[in-house]
Amino acid sequence: MSHHIVEAKNLQHVYPDGTIAIKDVSFRITHGESVAIIGANGAGKSTLLQHLNGCLIATSGQIRIGDTQLSKGTLPDIRRTVGMVFQYPDDQLFMPTVFEDVAFGPLNLGLSGEEVEQRVTEALERVGAGHLRTKPPYNLSGGEKKRVAIATVLAMSPDILVMDEPTSGLDPFARRQLISLLREFQHTKIFTSHDLDMVLDLCQRTIILHEGEIMADGPTGEIFLNEELLAACRLEKPFSMQGCPICNGKTGTKKT
Amino acid sequence: MTSIHAAVIDLKRLELLAESDSAIHVIDARAKVLVTLVFIVAVVSHNRYELARLLPFFIFPAVMIALAGLPTLYLARKIALISIFVLMVGLFNPVFDRTILYQVGQWGISGGWISLFSLLIRSMLTVGAAFILVGTTGFTAVCQALERLGIPQLFAIQLLFLHRYIFVLADEAGRSSRARELRSCGKKGLGVASFGSLVGHLLLRTWQRAERIHTAMLARGFVGQFHAHRKSRFGMAEIYFLLGWSTLFILLRAFDITETLVASMAGVLP
Ligand SMILES: Nc1ncnc2c1ncn2[C@@H]1O[C@H](COP(=O)(O)OP(=O)(O)OP(=O)(O)O)[C@@H](O)[C@H]1O
Ligand SMILES: [Mg+2]
């Protein structure tokens, strides 16, 4: 199933104001892999992710999804393959009701009324937002919006799932729910997160981005053991690896 | 500006009304769009001093509101709000147009006042009809209907985006003005200077955000096609609906029903 491969080659993005957000980024993610892209604020994570389905066009470099090179002509196909959850759900929800919003993608895929209905119901159930379907999105709480935004993408059953900080703003229960949902998702998934415990939980592979460059790319376990590297990139070990300050008063002193 | 924000949020409620399932809601959007157009043309084409002949037209909004179960008070408030703007536009009519048209006792009523009232009634009727259309159909479905009726797709999409853009603008305006209010500690803020930069920021942010929303639409496979989730076809019910109302409007426009009624009443009553 080569069409679930995501490959970036020498990607560079310069914003119109001259900010070089990412420079010379290359990686290859194969089918079924679960990859986290982590890094400090402003490291370029969101910028990088938005290249994967052509929301941003690289200043130089290439993106390849499966056998298709990303270009103007292949964009519709690629957008069908790559489902993208944006960092701010407000940007993603624009229809008058939650139902219509989740139905927007499937309708664009040309599905019939019944199928759409079924997909929407299923997607909303999976993120635990079934009760919100008749509400207008602008009246939801932040976390509810986030869940609906995730449902809008799930309803399109993408082959590759790309998420920008999926757990930010979720309550602990919804976070757990999302983590198990993501674990069930068999295809390739790529996400950024500041929730390093989730990264440890879900991803075999982690890419560290620092000031627009890849500083490390490897097995998650190894990367989180390299304290020097983490410190250099303004990161910390996941809490679950820091030892509990209450139980044994060991490390963990860095926390406030 | 916070109140504008509230007003727009309130306007969004209009679209939620379109979710219900009354006899009017299930009628094909094209039929409703056409009827509304005929209604608007019939109302607007009256001459500027017309009052009495406009009144029978209120039967359309009344029947539609009743059948569709729309909240009357809410609509009335929206229409009243618009009427204020109309009043501002028409306010000079009585000043410039002083020809006396009617004599009530010793008071002469000038053409200006008549035309002002006529303008008000016409705007209430047309704005009301537009609200009823959106409230029973939803804006997306209206745009889709326009397109299926032969308006170029580009225009229909522009209309849809314009409509969304207004909401985005109001949203951003609400946030900015709240942020400014909170940080100016109850004083006037930094006055005009900060207000200027606020407006500048606002436009930039709205533009950026509209672009991000557009990106999100593209990311979900939007290629300029509308998909209203209510599937419907133009059947017998639509034809009756369209012909029934259109005939009524044309009759009301062509003949002076009010006068006939009054005359026949006068004939019956001794
Ligand atoms: N539209 C823009 N124009 C100019 N510069 C931008 C724009 N968007 C982002 N940047 C800059 O690009 C850099 C990378 O931003 P990006 O949003 O990718 O960071 P991020 O890693 O997602 O951060 P966070 O963790 O805060 O979400 C930042 O320095 C930011 O200031
Ligand atoms: Mg980001």
Side-chain angles (χ1 to χ4, degrees):
Chain A
M1 295 263 265
S2 62
H3 61 285
H4 296 173
I5 288 179
V6 178
E7 193 173 13
K9 253 195 203 141
N10 308 106
L11 215 58
Q12 168 153 8
H13 191 91
V14 184
Y15 277 110
D17 68 349
T19 313
I20 303 173
I22 49 176
K23 44 195 161 196
D24 202 26
V25 166
S26 304
F27 55 79
R28 181 186 159 87
I29 294 171
T30 54
H31 174 68
E33 259 191 302
S34 168
V35 180
I37 296 175
I38 62 173
N41 288 139
K45 305 181 294 294
S46 299
T47 309
L48 176 59
L49 283 200
Q50 286 184 52
H51 281 83
L52 299 184
N53 71 344
C55 287
L56 286 177
I57 300 298
T59 314
S60 65
Q62 291 164 354
I63 294 280
R64 193 178 263 285
I65 307 289
D67 303 321
T68 349
Q69 171 121 15
L70 194 149
S71 69
K72 241 196 158 95
T74 59
L75 214 51
D77 264 338
I78 285 192
R79 286 185 170 152
R80 203 164 305 145
T81 319
V82 182
M84 174 104 177
V85 179
F86 292 86
Q87 185 167 4
Y88 302 105
D90 270 326
D91 297 339
Q92 197 155 0
L93 305 173
F94 45 79
M95 296 296 279
T97 64
V98 166
F99 177 89
E100 281 179 75
D101 219 307
V102 180
F104 183 83
L107 283 172
N108 281 331
L109 292 181
L111 299 180
S112 73
E114 264 167 53
E115 255 177 305
V116 170
E117 173 78 39
Q118 189 193 338
R119 283 217 190 174
V120 172
T121 310
E122 200 182 278
L124 284 175
E125 283 311 323
R126 281 175 77 184
V127 295
H131 60 293
L132 301 173
R133 58 188 285 147
T134 55
K135 278 198 147 201
Y138 53 86
N139 281 350
L140 302 181
S141 82
E144 288 171 342
K145 279 184 196 167
K146 193 92 199 184
R147 281 188 265 166
V148 172
I150 293 169
T152 62
V153 172
L154 290 180
M156 296 182 71
S157 7
D159 293 330
I160 297 165
L161 196 55
V162 177
M163 301 182 144
D164 203 347
E165 308 206 8
T167 53
S168 75
L170 294 187
D171 60 42
F173 184 82
R175 172 177 171 272
R176 274 280 148 227
Q177 207 179 17
L178 181 68
I179 291 180
S180 48
L181 188 150
L182 288 179
R183 194 175 286 124
E184 275 169 36
F185 187 84
Q186 294 299 327
H187 305 305
T188 312
K189 47 186 178 277
I190 304 168
F191 55 83
T192 73
S193 191
H194 295 298
D195 182 347
L196 301 181
D197 289 283
M198 175 180 74
V199 170
L200 193 63
D201 218 12
L202 279 182
C203 303
Q204 301 86 39
R205 178 173 163 196
T206 296
I207 295 175
I208 296 187
L209 214 56
H210 182 60
E211 292 175 358
E213 284 175 294
I214 291 187
M215 293 294 279
D217 179 353
T220 306
E222 281 175 29
I223 285 188
F224 282 141
L225 284 176
N226 189 342
E227 293 197 27
E228 269 169 56
L229 173 70
L230 292 179
C233 301
R234 302 196 357 149
L235 291 168
E236 283 179 14
K237 275 185 182 176
F239 293 136
S240 56
M241 287 174 72
Q242 287 184 4
C244 172
I246 300 171
C247 308
N248 49 22
K250 275 199 292 196
T251 43
T253 38
K254 259 162 77 183
K255 275 187 295 171
T256 47
Chain B
M1 237 189 257
T2 337
S3 61
I4 293 182
H5 187 49
V8 168
I9 286 284
D10 208 27
L11 207 61
K12 285 183 177 175
R13 198 181 138 199
L14 192 60
E15 266 195 276
L16 286 184
L17 295 176
E19 294 295 311
S20 91
D21 265 320
S22 78
I24 301 293
H25 283 84
V26 297
I27 293 176
D28 188 283
R30 282 168 292 177
K32 283 182 274 184
V33 168
L34 285 176
V35 164
T36 307
L37 285 180
V38 176
F39 178 80
I40 289 176
V41 170
V43 167
V44 172
S45 65
H46 279 93
N47 84 50
R48 57 188 301 233
Y49 296 123
E50 198 54 71
L51 275 181
R53 291 184 62 174
L54 287 172
L55 296 179
F57 280 95
F58 276 101
I59 187 153
F60 175 63
V63 169
M64 292 290 275
I65 288 176
L67 286 183
L70 298 178
T72 319
L73 204 70
Y74 165 76
L75 283 178
R77 267 208 309 269
K78 289 285 124 233
I79 295 172
L81 197 73
I82 305 260
S83 297
I84 295 174
F85 288 100
V86 177
L87 258 183
M88 290 198 281
V89 174
L91 211 55
F92 287 104
N93 286 11
V95 179
F96 293 125
D97 185 352
R98 288 169 183 273
T99 17
I100 304 293
L101 283 190
Y102 294 102
Q103 200 73 38
V104 182
Q106 57 192 24
W107 297 92
I109 302 180
S110 73
W113 283 106
I114 303 279
S115 66
L116 175 60
F117 277 114
S118 176
L119 184 68
L120 258 183
I121 290 183
R122 272 182 286 174
S123 71
M124 276 162 73
L125 283 171
T126 49
V127 170
F131 279 168
I132 289 170
L133 175 64
V134 176
T136 57
T137 314
F139 204 83
T140 319
V142 170
C143 291
Q144 190 188 29
L146 284 173
E147 192 206 332
R148 285 165 81 185
L149 286 171
I151 286 192
Q153 195 188 46
L154 196 67
F155 287 121
I157 290 191
Q158 286 300 325
L159 199 62
L160 186 68
F161 279 154
L162 187 70
H163 173 251
R164 293 264 166 261
Y165 188 79
I166 292 172
F167 288 152
V168 174
L169 182 70
D171 220 35
E172 293 292 343
R175 285 182 210 200
S176 302
S177 73
R178 183 174 57 194
R180 177 171 170 273
E181 251 162 52
L182 288 177
R183 279 189 288 174
S184 53
C185 307
K187 290 188 219 81
K188 285 264 177 235
L190 295 174
V192 185
S194 84
F195 202 74
S197 86
L198 183 128
V199 170
H201 260 275
L202 183 63
L203 289 180
L204 279 176
R205 266 175 40 180
T206 309
W207 176 60
Q208 268 185 349
R209 176 131 176 254
E211 204 169 60
R212 286 204 302 269
I213 291 178
H214 186 224
T215 313
M217 291 175 83
L218 291 178
R220 282 200 271 152
F222 181 74
V223 284
Q225 222 95 52
F226 293 108
H227 302 279
H229 70 114
R230 201 194 296 279
K231 285 276 171 288
S232 64
R233 50 183 212 94
F234 209 96
M236 276 327 263
E238 278 71 26
I239 295 177
Y240 288 141
F241 180 79
L242 178 58
L243 287 185
W245 281 118
S246 307
T247 321
L248 179 67
F249 301 151
I250 293 169
L251 285 180
L252 285 181
R253 177 69 189 87
F255 303 104
D256 192 342
I257 306 264
T258 326
E259 202 178 37
T260 332
L261 269 181
V262 172
S264 63
M265 293 275 260
V268 171
L269 297 174

